[in-house]
Amino acid sequence: MVMAPEATDWREARRESARHAIVQTAWALSRELGLAGWSIRDLARRSGITTPTVYAYFESKNAIYDTMFGQAATEFADRQAESYDDADPRGRLLASTHRFFEFCSNDPPRYQLLFQRTLPGFEPSAPSYEPAVRALAKAGEMLAACGVTDARHLDLWTGLIRGLVDQQLSNDPGGDRWERLLGECVDMFLAHCALSVTDPPRQPEG
Amino acid sequence: MVMAPEATDWREARRESARHAIVQTAWALSRELGLAGWSIRDLARRSGITTPTVYAYFESKNAIYDTMFGQAATEFADRQAESYDDADPRGRLLASTHRFFEFCSNDPPRYQLLFQRTLPGFEPSAPSYEPAVRALAKAGEMLAACGVTDARHLDLWTGLIRGLVDQQLSNDPGGDRWERLLGECVDMFLAHCALSVTDPPRQPEG
DNA sequence: GTCTATAGCTGGATAGAC
DNA sequence: GTCTATCCAGCTATAGAC
């Protein structure tokens, strides 16, 4: 007997829903114990199933991490793509930066997975990685709208923001000690870029 | 029979030397396999001894990490304390920043151990930690000599430099893509600080 | 798909002879 | 202090009954 297509869809939907539940548990454990702080056994126990059942849905622990990575990358891209109220480019850049900062500091394990690459032996697959690339391109457009296109300046920008996020997460988790410097940082950076359009570049240093 | 004091010293010296050799091997393994990528067995094999012998010199794996931490912190403090050729404060700040950057990027596992705190379950002991505090105070003096004393600006500074180091290590290991931005970064930062002494502070943002 | 049971391995750390 | 031998806990992953 041939299966009606809807039956296949139901099965697929159920399977997807079960996979989703497992991954949600993995996120919860990562927030409690750290990204590398839980085992498949822990994950199974917390999900109310047994270890082999986990392997019925994911072929390995890294496959779970990869699904988490893809989910996080999609969330990141969606968040950055949402519309902005501000009319001027500087306001849009600041808003986008705040969004990025909050995205990172609201969920440290997610930040660690997406940007810190500290899981031994894990590399995200190409499809999981793609949305993250899309979102980073968006940041480039924001800067271009502010007149910043120099490759050196783009690197300077990514370094600046990354440092503020890292300091926030490691020295004042849950606080806003570095987050509240974002506006000042944007102004400092844009002023600098505006100047170096008119000024000649400096001497290279020894 | 009573032991002559020199005999005790010889023994102590031999013991210290053996401890040192083990720790040097641990550094080598950390550079090859990552800070958390080696086991006590690996360490013993590479040192030409057996596992229990390692425990004759260190009471646990974390005790080895703690010794490594203390060594790294001392190197850091010594390097920062070396004299500076430059006469002007800005030159000295730039030189000190370059030193810091090189100190970090020359030895990624050392940077990870000292500043990233990513080893699960490891906290440095107070004596191991002390030299690092001393070296960080030195950075504060450098900034003060440039007229930067505002707490916000100190936080901004640590974020800036940390971000450049992190980007260098994770996106261009062994290169200088972010290192060569250091001079520009110092100028941008000092110009900004000089301005905000004269300008009124900005509105807080919503 | 879900279970019980376990293989197969690696880890940190130790007992006890020498 | 150094070894051989081993304990015991933890891990990822799988075999096979149902």
Side-chain angles (χ1 to χ4, degrees):
Chain A
M1 172 194 170
V2 175
M3 196 83 76
E6 312 90 73
T8 315
D9 290 352
W10 292 344
R11 281 165 191 264
E12 268 309 309
R14 278 198 73 81
R15 186 176 167 80
E16 239 355 274
S17 151
R19 280 175 60 93
H20 187 76
I22 292 172
V23 170
Q24 288 309 105
T25 307
W27 280 117
L29 287 174
S30 297
R31 284 178 207 114
E32 291 170 31
L33 308 169
L35 203 50
W38 49 269
S39 68
I40 299 276
R41 291 212 234 279
D42 297 331
L43 177 58
R45 192 174 318 125
R46 179 72 81 88
S47 305
I49 56 180
T50 59
T51 313
T53 306
V54 174
Y55 284 93
Y57 290 100
F58 297 93
E59 71 170 359
S60 70
K61 194 179 185 182
N62 273 351
I64 300 175
Y65 283 131
D66 197 57
T67 306
M68 294 167 76
F69 187 100
Q71 216 177 73
T74 302
E75 283 168 19
F76 177 45
D78 289 353
R79 183 77 186 105
Q80 288 299 111
E82 280 173 31
S83 67
Y84 293 88
D85 291 339
D86 310 75
D88 63 312
R90 186 248 173 214
R92 291 163 67 88
L93 178 65
L94 179 59
S96 145
T97 307
H98 261 119
R99 275 189 197 174
F100 175 70
F101 199 99
E102 275 159 19
F103 180 87
C104 296
S105 56
N106 280 347
D107 197 337
R110 184 174 62 183
Y111 174 69
Q112 194 189 342
L113 181 62
L114 261 187
F115 299 111
Q116 304 237 66
R117 299 303 173 77
T118 170
L119 274 184
F122 170 69
E123 285 292 322
S125 63
S128 300
Y129 196 76
E130 185 272 337
V133 174
R134 198 156 23 96
L136 285 174
K138 190 90 183 171
E141 295 172 23
M142 290 277 171
L143 287 172
C146 294
V148 179
T149 54
D150 186 346
R152 281 175 66 96
H153 288 156
L154 296 183
D155 283 348
L156 186 56
W157 175 252
T158 59
L160 256 50
I161 301 308
R162 169 157 191 176
L164 296 187
V165 170
D166 279 344
Q167 286 288 80
Q168 182 65 60
L169 283 172
S170 50
N171 294 329
D172 182 35
D176 71 341
R177 185 167 149 195
W178 275 269
E179 182 173 15
R180 64 185 183 216
L181 301 177
L182 278 180
E184 185 170 347
C185 187
V186 165
D187 291 333
M188 173 181 74
F189 175 74
L190 290 182
H192 169 75
C193 292
L195 271 182
S196 58
V197 169
T198 53
D199 288 5
R202 293 199 150 255
Q203 299 270 356
E205 336 146 18
Chain B
M1 170 194 173
V2 175
M3 195 84 76
E6 312 91 72
T8 317
D9 290 353
W10 293 344
R11 279 164 193 266
E12 267 309 307
R14 278 199 73 80
R15 188 177 166 80
E16 237 357 272
S17 152
R19 280 175 60 92
H20 187 76
I22 293 173
V23 170
Q24 287 310 105
T25 308
W27 280 116
L29 287 174
S30 296
R31 285 177 205 115
E32 292 171 30
L33 308 169
L35 204 52
W38 49 269
S39 65
I40 299 274
R41 286 183 189 0
D42 297 332
L43 177 58
R45 194 175 317 124
R46 179 70 82 89
S47 305
I49 55 180
T50 58
T51 314
T53 305
V54 174
Y55 283 94
Y57 291 99
F58 297 94
E59 70 170 357
S60 70
K61 193 179 186 183
N62 272 350
I64 300 175
Y65 282 131
D66 197 56
T67 305
M68 295 169 74
F69 187 100
Q71 217 178 73
T74 303
E75 284 167 19
F76 177 46
D78 290 352
R79 183 78 186 105
Q80 287 301 110
E82 280 173 32
S83 68
Y84 294 88
D85 291 339
D86 310 77
D88 62 311
R90 186 247 174 215
R92 291 163 68 87
L93 178 65
L94 179 58
S96 143
T97 308
H98 261 118
R99 275 188 198 174
F100 176 70
F101 199 98
E102 274 158 20
F103 181 86
C104 295
S105 56
N106 281 346
D107 198 336
R110 185 175 59 183
Y111 174 68
Q112 195 189 341
L113 181 62
L114 261 186
F115 300 111
Q116 304 238 70
R117 300 304 173 75
T118 167
L119 275 183
F122 170 69
E123 285 292 321
S125 63
S128 302
Y129 196 77
E130 185 272 338
V133 174
R134 201 158 19 99
L136 285 174
K138 190 91 183 169
E141 294 172 23
M142 291 276 170
L143 287 172
C146 294
V148 179
T149 54
D150 187 346
R152 281 175 67 98
H153 288 156
L154 296 182
D155 283 348
L156 186 55
W157 175 254
T158 59
L160 256 49
I161 302 306
R162 168 157 195 177
L164 296 187
V165 170
D166 278 345
Q167 286 287 80
Q168 182 66 59
L169 282 172
S170 50
N171 294 330
D172 183 35
D176 71 340
R177 186 166 150 194
W178 275 269
E179 182 172 17
R180 64 185 184 218
L181 301 178
L182 278 180
E184 184 170 347
C185 189
V186 166
D187 291 333
M188 172 180 74
F189 176 72
L190 289 182
H192 169 75
C193 292
L195 271 181
S196 60
V197 169
T198 53
D199 286 8
R202 298 200 146 254
Q203 299 271 355
E205 334 148 16

